[in-house]
Amino acid sequence: MVLRKAGLYLILLALAAFTTFPFLWTLLVSLRTRGPIFAIPPDLSLGGLSAANYVGVWNTLPLPRYVLNSLYIAAMGVGLTLIVCSLAAYPLARMQFPGRNVVFYAIIATLMLPEHIGLIVNFITMMRLRLVDTYISVYLPSVASIFGIFLLRQAYLSIPQELEDAARIDGAGELTIWWRILLPLTVPALATLAIFQFVAFWNSFLWPIIILKTPDKYPLAAGLLYLRGLFAHNTRFIAAGTVIATLPIIVVFLFTQRYFMRGITAGAIR
């Protein structure tokens, strides 16, 4: 039994080292001003560390502007996603109407389509709405998340029917039941969806580059690609910018990991 546990821990340790190595290597490259970068085996010594690359990125790009753009886009995108998905999942989970399951499976079937198929349709839609080169055009096409609808539908289904029946006896309507009964019981699932969407909006770079024409409106990820275009030879600057872009995601996860784990492992059951 002891050898079995030791073997399991060794496997887990190897997996942890394998998954965290890219970030640790990027962090080490960003803190060095000299030495090999792509050596095999990689040079993991800690000598000569400096913040010069971060200062260089700060002086090269308007990072505060890009960070504020990313925060605004992520905040609006996550907020609207939670509202839209929670409203869309409610009738699919708690209301009885003909074709309910057909509608649900049709929505889920769209997950099979490659994400990039929607780029042209979304661009034409934003152009017809005269929203090209606006912040709202960055997050609006993604607020109806299929994964979010599925996750919240499953969370709604885990809530006992008796709670809803008691609310109806007291005269509550559909919106009241949704807002005052179901939403408070699905906080872990909402937090899980918020984390996934925050990461998606924060790391999004292809769609913002397509829909935004003004570089000052770029989010941080798109701004880092702009940096790569200017300094393709300076891998250390790119590594420093990548670390700066990753830190907010780590901070958000650390503050919400309790809800995230509950949402992943236990849904909204209380």
Side-chain angles (χ1 to χ4, degrees):
M1 181 63 72
V2 175
L3 291 177
R4 185 177 179 181
K5 283 188 176 181
L8 178 61
Y9 285 132
L10 285 176
I11 293 174
L12 293 177
L13 184 61
L15 288 175
F18 179 77
T19 54
T20 57
F21 177 77
F23 177 74
L24 296 178
W25 178 81
T26 304
L27 178 62
L28 194 58
V29 170
S30 70
L31 291 173
R32 284 178 174 170
T33 56
R34 62 180 186 277
I37 296 177
F38 301 107
I40 299 176
D43 181 11
L44 301 179
S45 61
L46 300 179
L49 300 184
S50 169
N53 296 320
Y54 291 90
V55 176
V57 173
W58 179 272
N59 293 330
T60 303
L61 289 179
L63 277 181
R65 178 72 181 180
Y66 288 156
V67 171
L68 288 177
N69 291 343
S70 292
L71 288 175
Y72 175 75
I73 292 171
M76 293 298 297
V78 170
L80 287 176
T81 299
L82 294 181
I83 295 173
V84 170
C85 291
S86 59
L87 283 172
Y90 175 73
L92 295 174
R94 311 300 296 196
M95 299 176 68
Q96 300 295 329
F97 56 90
R100 185 185 69 166
N101 291 332
V102 174
V103 172
F104 172 68
Y105 290 123
I107 293 174
I108 294 299
T110 59
L111 286 174
M112 305 297 177
L113 300 176
E115 182 182 357
H116 298 88
I117 286 181
L119 291 178
I120 297 177
V121 176
N122 290 335
F123 185 84
I124 294 175
T125 303
M126 293 298 108
M127 188 173 60
R128 295 290 177 83
L129 295 175
R130 299 181 184 278
L131 294 176
V132 174
D133 199 26
T134 62
Y135 290 115
I136 190 173
S137 65
V138 179
Y139 55 79
L140 188 61
S142 302
V143 296
S145 167
I146 306 302
F147 169 75
I149 294 173
F150 171 78
L151 181 67
L152 293 178
R153 176 183 178 271
Q154 298 307 112
Y156 287 151
L157 289 175
S158 66
I159 298 174
Q161 182 65 34
E162 289 77 8
L163 290 176
E164 185 178 336
D165 294 340
R168 293 188 188 282
I169 292 174
D170 291 338
E174 297 294 344
L175 285 178
T176 301
I177 294 173
W178 168 73
W179 178 253
R180 302 188 63 177
I181 305 297
L182 298 186
L183 272 188
L185 295 176
T186 55
V187 169
L190 290 170
T192 301
L193 176 60
I195 293 173
F196 277 114
Q197 287 299 102
F198 178 83
V199 173
F201 281 114
W202 188 270
N203 290 332
S204 175
F205 65 91
L206 179 59
W207 175 245
I209 289 177
I210 293 175
I211 200 67
L212 294 176
K213 306 304 179 186
T214 306
D216 285 345
K217 295 180 180 178
Y218 279 176
L220 184 56
L224 293 180
L225 281 184
Y226 188 67
L227 171 70
R228 183 180 179 182
L230 290 176
F231 301 96
H233 61 282
N234 197 331
T235 306
R236 302 183 195 280
F237 274 23
I238 297 174
T242 303
V243 172
I244 293 173
T246 306
L247 288 179
I249 297 175
I250 297 175
V251 171
V252 169
F253 178 76
L254 290 177
F255 278 100
T256 57
Q257 62 176 330
R258 180 167 62 93
Y259 292 106
F260 179 78
M261 296 306 296
R262 287 177 58 190
I264 289 293
T265 59
I269 296 178
R270 286 189 172 184

